[in-house]
């Protein structure tokens, strides 16, 4: 029997036909499973993806387009001006430059203070205290209050509360015109922002501290290490991922500060405390220069994105080294 006859015999054998019959339903089942998974994916992810496209992507790219126009945000007349808006910002708009410098200064101070205080609070409530749950709640509560409401509450404290305490006690700190002077108003915004954000950062650090193996700490103390040495050489390297997250969150939120700035000082006195987000809002919606406002927002986005990517990259390298 030649090879062709053998092949025909094998093809026509009952075993081969049965195998083909068995394979076909399995292929059909796999196709149905894939379609089912695709349908479930579309069902759960589709609405979110659609909302993301409508709320984030389309306005984002539309804003980029308007950054190169002279649109005032009201009329239907839109004229393409190219890079004229950006030239104006870097050569003539002194307030934008001052707001950028002030926002950078505020961001550096707020990042340092928020993380230091948040980490300190986490170390405190991570101890074996009877009231640690109550303290965690108290420290976290300011984060639950809306930014505008919180700003107006602190505005009353700075203007009325501190003035009353200063009158009764004569302490110079409480007699300051906290929101009437550029320097003290700046620190007033810092105090409110740190007071609100430290509790949230504390929660992240608490989660990281709870994952530090107690065996390492006990072994270090047996070897004679003091609290500071344990903190520096054991605790800090092990909570490095949490530090990366907290630095990212505080960097982004500090650069974008708006509600505290608006409710406390509204940029005053004489725009000396006008942060970049408030400057963009005023330009676009108060001065009705939407094109220039979008140009500022685009520059703001690029700078913040570059800084946060750089910060995360450096922090990740330090995690590996530690």
């Amino acid at each position: 029997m030649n090879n062709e006859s053998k092949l025909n015999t094998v093809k026509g054998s009952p075993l081969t036909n049965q195998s083909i019959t068995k394979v076909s339903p399995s292929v059909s089942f796999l196709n149905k499973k894939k379609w089912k998974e695709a349908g479930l994916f579309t069902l759960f992810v589709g609405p979110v993806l659609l909302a993301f496209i409508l709320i984030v992507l389309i306005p984002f790219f539309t804003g980029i387009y308007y950054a190169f126009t002279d649109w005032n945000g009201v009329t239907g007349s839109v004229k393409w001006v190219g890079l004229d808006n950006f030239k104006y910002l870097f050569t003539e708009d002194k307030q934008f430059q001052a707001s950028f410098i002030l926002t950078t200064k505020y961001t550096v101070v707020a990042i340092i203070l928020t993380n230091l205080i948040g980490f300190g609070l986490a170390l405190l409530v991570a101890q074996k205290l009877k009231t640690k749950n109550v303290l965690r709640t108290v420290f976290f509560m300011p984060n639950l209050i809306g930014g505008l409401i919180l700003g107006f509450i602190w505005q009353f404290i700075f203007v009325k509360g501190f003035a009353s305490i200063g009158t009764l006690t004569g302490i110079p700190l409480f007699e300051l015109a906290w929101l009437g002077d550029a320097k003290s108003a700046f620190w007033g915004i810092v105090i409110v922002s740190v007071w609100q954000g430290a509790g949230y950062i504390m929660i992240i650090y608490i989660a990281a501290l709870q994952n530090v193996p107690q065996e390492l700490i006990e072994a270090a103390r047996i070897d004679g290490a003091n609290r500071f040495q344990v903190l520096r050489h054991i605790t800090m390297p092990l909570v490095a991922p949490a530090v990366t997250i907290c630095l990212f969150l505080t960097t982004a939120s500090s650069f974008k500060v708006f509600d505290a700035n608006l409710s406390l000082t509204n940029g005053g006195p004489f725009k000396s405390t006008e942060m970049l987000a408030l400057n963009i809002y005023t330009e676009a919606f108060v001065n009705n220069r939407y094109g220039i406002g979008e140009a500022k927002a685009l520059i703001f986005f690029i700078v913040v994105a570059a800084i946060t990517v750089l910060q995360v990259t450096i922090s990740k390298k330090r995690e590996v080294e530690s």
Side-chain angles (χ1 to χ4, degrees):
M1 183 182 293
N2 56 20
N3 293 334
E4 185 176 357
S5 301
K6 290 180 180 179
L7 182 61
N8 292 332
T9 303
V10 172
K11 285 183 178 180
S13 64
L15 180 60
T16 306
N17 293 335
Q18 186 178 2
S19 301
I20 293 173
T21 305
K22 289 182 178 179
V23 168
S24 298
S26 63
V27 173
S28 176
F29 174 75
L30 290 176
N31 290 333
K32 289 181 179 179
K33 186 177 180 180
K34 289 181 179 179
W35 278 107
K36 183 179 180 180
E37 291 177 352
L40 290 173
F41 180 81
T42 304
L43 177 64
F44 287 104
V45 179
V48 179
L49 181 61
L50 180 63
F52 178 76
I53 292 172
L54 294 176
I55 298 173
V56 178
L57 289 184
I58 292 178
F60 177 74
F61 289 107
T62 304
I64 293 177
Y65 166 74
Y66 284 128
F68 297 92
T69 67
D70 66 347
W71 190 41
N72 60 8
V74 180
T75 64
S77 175
V78 180
K79 180 182 177 183
W80 181 269
V81 295
L83 297 175
D84 290 351
N85 290 336
F86 298 93
K87 293 178 181 177
Y88 169 78
L89 296 181
F90 288 111
T91 57
E92 299 181 35
D93 196 339
K94 302 299 180 183
Q95 184 57 45
F96 173 73
Q97 300 168 21
S99 296
F100 205 105
I101 295 172
L102 181 67
T103 305
T104 304
K105 177 183 174 182
Y106 163 83
T107 299
V108 173
V109 175
I111 288 172
I112 295 173
L113 291 180
T114 304
N115 281 276
L116 286 178
I117 295 175
F119 187 71
L121 294 176
L123 288 175
L124 174 64
V125 299
Q127 305 299 318
K128 295 180 180 179
L129 302 173
K130 293 182 179 179
T131 58
K132 65 179 182 180
N133 291 330
V134 176
L135 291 175
R136 291 179 183 182
T137 304
V138 171
F139 294 146
F140 183 72
M141 280 182 63
N143 189 259
L144 302 177
I145 306 174
L148 285 174
I149 297 175
L150 192 67
F152 287 123
I153 292 173
W154 273 93
Q155 185 187 63
F156 176 81
I157 293 173
F158 283 129
V159 175
K160 300 293 184 181
F162 281 11
S164 300
I165 296 174
T167 303
L168 293 173
T169 62
I171 299 175
L173 179 65
F174 295 106
E175 293 179 339
L176 292 174
W178 273 92
L179 303 181
D181 179 72
K183 292 182 179 179
S184 58
F186 169 81
W187 285 106
I189 299 173
V190 171
I191 290 171
V192 174
S193 299
V194 173
W195 186 75
Q196 183 184 27
Y200 180 76
I201 298 301
M202 175 197 70
I203 297 298
I204 299 175
Y205 282 131
I206 288 173
L209 290 172
Q210 289 177 341
N211 290 326
V212 176
Q214 294 299 314
E215 296 81 5
L216 293 177
I217 298 176
E218 293 174 1
R221 288 176 177 171
I222 292 173
D223 290 339
N226 56 36
R227 288 180 178 271
F228 178 75
Q229 289 172 330
V230 171
L231 177 65
R232 179 182 177 185
H233 298 290
I234 295 178
T235 305
M236 289 303 298
L238 292 177
V239 301
V243 174
T244 300
I245 295 172
C246 291
L247 287 177
F248 171 79
L249 293 174
T250 50
T251 300
S253 62
S254 298
F255 263 111
K256 297 185 296 182
V257 62
F258 174 78
D259 42 12
N261 189 197
L262 178 65
S263 56
L264 280 173
T265 65
N266 197 22
F270 305 108
K271 293 187 177 295
S272 59
T273 60
E274 187 178 68
M275 303 289 181
L276 202 51
L278 181 58
N279 179 264
I280 294 171
Y281 168 82
T282 303
E283 192 72 73
F285 301 106
V286 177
N287 298 338
N288 288 330
R289 296 200 291 182
Y290 196 86
I292 295 177
E294 285 291 352
K296 291 181 178 182
L298 181 58
I299 295 173
F300 188 33
F301 168 77
I302 294 172
V303 171
V304 173
I307 291 174
T308 50
V309 169
L310 180 64
Q311 173 263 311
V312 171
T313 303
I314 294 174
S315 299
K316 284 291 184 182
K317 287 183 180 179
R318 291 180 65 86
E319 287 180 29
V320 175
E321 291 173 0
S322 60

